Amino acid sequence: MALAVTLAATSVTLGATACGLSDTSPVVVTTPPPDLDRAPSELRWEPWQGVNLPFAREDGPAKLTEAALGYSHTPQGAALAAIHHTVRISLAPDDTWARTAAQSLMPGPGKDAWVLARAQISVTQPASPVVAPRITAYKFTTYTADRAELLVYSTYSDNSVTSNKQTVVWSSNDWRLLLPDPVLKTVVVESVPAIPADAVQLSAAR
């Protein structure tokens, strides 16, 4: 798995005085790298607008309003945020989508374009079981403490598989979805033959 991981290191200098002498030798303490291959623990699934969404006790989301908020500052929290934010802005009903977007999305041209497009359509019903995705796995392509890019894999009733390219940014003590600038013409959703073997598998939705 090709991954870019930022390792945080903290240097601490300890001063000690014994018999009138000072020892100022630096002691370097390093934090272990985040584990990108660990799935969120204690996962449970809850239905929302026709799609089962994953929740983890330690990794979130911990707060439900119009959006789902409160994710751990970890790869697992980033993955859950990407999944929730993407599904919830896609299926938010007409009376809540604006507040959902305000809480879930990072400001920028991607958000502006999405808001304009969403205002032109109406969502009043949950997703049909025929077209509702079953979220099954994810794979990071880039991860730092401030930004994560990943592919989220879903399967459908006809056994087809798609990958959904998502980016989340750590902002205001939570992960928020950054939609691509439409000028870049980024291909977000693609059909794939299968879920890669090195993707992080999520326990089956019930």
Side-chain angles (χ1 to χ4, degrees):
M1 183 187 300
L3 302 169
V5 180
T6 299
L7 306 183
T10 304
S11 297
V12 180
T13 303
L14 302 178
T17 303
C19 301
L21 298 177
S22 296
D23 182 0
T24 58
S25 300
V27 176
V28 177
V29 179
T30 58
T31 345
D35 186 356
L36 306 185
D37 297 322
R38 180 180 68 79
S41 57
E42 299 184 51
L43 203 65
R44 73 181 193 280
W45 297 82
E46 295 184 8
W48 184 84
Q49 285 290 84
V51 177
N52 281 320
L53 290 174
F55 290 72
R57 185 175 65 83
E58 293 184 358
D59 298 309
K63 179 182 178 182
L64 296 179
T65 56
E66 288 83 3
L69 307 172
Y71 299 93
S72 64
H73 197 182
T74 63
Q76 293 71 33
L80 291 170
I83 291 167
H84 274 268
H85 293 330
T86 301
V87 172
R88 289 174 183 273
I89 65 167
S90 300
L91 296 174
D94 292 347
D95 59 346
T96 63
W97 72 262
R99 292 189 297 276
T100 301
Q103 297 175 60
S104 303
L105 300 180
M106 290 294 295
K111 177 183 177 180
D112 295 342
W114 181 88
V115 168
L116 289 174
R118 178 60 181 84
Q120 307 304 312
I121 64 172
S122 178
V123 176
T124 58
Q125 301 290 332
S128 164
V130 176
V131 298
R134 183 165 59 86
I135 299 154
T136 45
Y138 64 85
K139 177 181 176 180
F140 284 101
T141 55
T142 302
Y143 181 84
T144 70
D146 299 321
R147 180 186 176 109
E149 298 177 3
L150 65 158
L151 299 172
V152 177
Y153 296 94
S154 299
T155 57
Y156 294 82
S157 58
D158 62 356
N159 292 322
S160 61
V161 181
T162 61
S163 70
N164 195 318
K165 184 183 297 183
Q166 298 300 339
T167 299
V168 289
V169 174
W170 185 254
S171 175
S172 300
N173 293 315
D174 213 348
W175 291 108
R176 303 183 192 279
L177 189 67
L178 178 65
L179 296 179
D181 187 334
V183 172
L184 301 177
K185 301 186 184 302
T186 304
V187 177
V188 175
V189 180
E190 293 184 284
S191 295
V192 294
I195 297 171
D198 58 352
V200 178
Q201 300 287 331
L202 296 171
S203 58
R206 296 180 181 177

